Amino acid sequence: RAKTSGRGTAEVFDEQLRRELAERADLEAAIAHGLVAGEFLLHYQPVVSVATKELRGFEALLRWDRPGHGLVPPAAFIPLAEQSNLICELGRWALGEATRQLAAWSAADAGRGLTMAVNVSGRHLGSPRILDDVADALAGSGVDPSCLVLELTETMIVDDVACTDRLRALRGSGVRIAIDDFGTGYTSIGQLQNLPVDTLKIDRSFVASEAPGHQELVRLIVSAAHTFNLAVVAEGVEEDAQLAALRTLQCDAAQGFLIARPMSAAAVEASCGLGARAMSSPEAAAPA
Ligand code: C2E
Ligand code: MG
Ligand code: MG
Ligand code: MG
């Protein structure tokens, strides 16, 4: 059937390809417009000390309040944005917004030196403009460079000499570097010694796994990281038992739904005691 209708099939594919290209172009235009129109926002997920549960800082996570579509998660637009320089525009915006927010919270932070982690795309790190974008965010907000953490994945850090040099330059300016989703790529523990990084974020798949051996793997990662003076953050902690295990393994910090979901700046101010009208507990902040 496919053979006899070969010509029709080609037309169907043509039509489908044409439609997909048009959809991509529409989405790209909508992202570019959304940036100008102020449709992007950041949610913030608290990062806490494993030992004391004290707040250490936040990870900024991009959201798109696209008219008619609700709050769009990054998985629905970052991959497309990464195919063009749009991802650098989004990255520049996120760096500016996250540091501006941290500066505002630092006033209410009582000297805790809270950190703000921002995800950086490989394409943005691959471009020299990342250096200006980070410098502009720091200068514009006045935050202490050591409070800004740039999250990158393993492949971006290891693959390319120009990127590694850029990371060294960024780190030279005082900014911290974290490897996101650690364990899902191909970095060997030995390489950690030579990479310009400060923190490992252990991927959620290892934190959640009950597979025999995974706990040992996490123990190994933590002890290697500590040997090389790296801090370890566990991602995606959803259960008390996971947090207890991380404490035994001497993991430094954790984030995950168990502790708090990513939330709006207003919700952070209400629940973390950071706003001008800050309240001390989420209960106290609930609407009357
Ligand atoms: P990521 O940097 O690894 O961020 C962690 C993701 O895990 C977030 O998803 C967060 O909401 C989710 N998460 C946190 N705790 C838990 C948990 O306990 N359980 C589960 N199941 N999930 C948890 P989100 O916000 O959808 O972001 C997905 C990815 O999109 C991020 O992964 C990051 O790679 C990317 N991304 C987000 N914001 C930005 C950005 O501003 N720039 C760039 N380039 N990428 C971003
Ligand atoms: Mg991240
Ligand atoms: Mg991650
Ligand atoms: Mg991830």
Side-chain angles (χ1 to χ4, degrees):
R1 175 129 208 227
K3 258 182 199 163
T4 55
S5 64
R7 184 161 178 178
T9 307
E11 277 164 15
V12 169
F13 280 139
D14 263 11
E15 172 59 21
Q16 190 176 339
L17 186 63
R18 204 192 52 72
R19 210 176 45 229
E20 273 174 26
L21 288 172
E23 275 169 13
R24 276 179 45 173
D26 284 352
L27 186 58
E28 266 182 23
I31 295 170
H33 173 266
L35 264 165
V36 178
E39 292 168 9
F40 288 91
L41 65 150
L42 294 174
H43 275 185
Y44 301 91
Q45 185 174 37
V47 178
V48 301
S49 156
V50 166
T52 65
K53 293 193 180 174
E54 280 169 329
L55 181 68
R56 288 286 182 77
F58 302 93
E59 177 174 4
L61 294 158
L62 196 56
R63 303 286 182 264
W64 180 14
D65 190 5
R66 186 181 182 192
H69 292 78
L71 210 55
V72 184
F77 62 90
I78 296 259
L80 179 69
E82 268 170 344
Q83 291 174 32
S84 75
N85 283 330
L86 269 179
I87 193 66
C88 303
E89 304 295 333
L90 285 169
R92 179 180 169 79
W93 179 83
L95 283 164
E97 176 71 8
T99 49
R100 190 197 58 72
Q101 188 61 77
L102 182 64
W105 287 340
S106 292
D109 146 23
R112 276 181 287 183
L114 295 176
T115 57
M116 181 65 77
V118 179
N119 292 283
V120 173
S121 144
R123 189 181 180 113
H124 199 183
L125 183 70
S127 150
R129 61 177 282 187
I130 183 70
L131 298 174
D132 286 337
D133 289 349
V134 170
D136 288 351
L138 291 171
S141 62
V143 302
D144 183 335
S146 68
C147 293
L148 177 62
V149 183
L150 305 179
E151 294 195 2
L152 301 141
T153 57
E154 292 170 59
T155 45
M156 303 174 196
I157 295 176
V158 180
D159 276 2
D160 181 325
V161 181
C163 287
T164 317
D165 285 349
R166 233 164 258 141
L167 275 185
R168 287 187 207 288
L170 286 165
R171 215 162 157 244
S173 74
V175 167
R176 313 259 184 105
I177 308 295
I179 305 186
D180 206 349
D181 306 337
F182 187 78
T184 60
Y186 300 95
T187 316
S188 69
I189 282 179
Q191 271 174 296
L192 291 176
Q193 184 169 199
N194 302 314
L195 291 174
V197 301
D198 305 275
T199 300
L200 294 188
K201 296 192 74 174
I202 302 184
D203 191 65
R204 164 165 103 232
S205 55
F206 293 94
V207 173
S209 173
E210 280 162 26
H214 261 181
Q215 179 111 341
E216 279 311 306
L217 199 59
V218 174
R219 187 194 305 280
L220 215 74
I221 293 172
V222 173
S223 86
H226 286 168
T227 303
F228 302 134
N229 285 319
L230 306 178
V232 186
V233 181
E235 297 191 277
V237 178
E238 293 183 350
E239 290 165 21
D240 277 318
Q242 293 165 354
L243 193 59
L246 291 166
R247 197 171 297 125
T248 310
L249 299 175
Q250 301 195 350
C251 184
D252 303 289
Q255 66 186 95
F257 295 168
L258 175 72
I259 298 142
R261 293 196 171 243
M263 55 187 143
S264 69
V268 167
E269 287 169 11
S271 63
C272 300
L274 288 170
R277 292 173 294 128
M279 285 167 268
S280 57
S281 71
E283 290 75 19

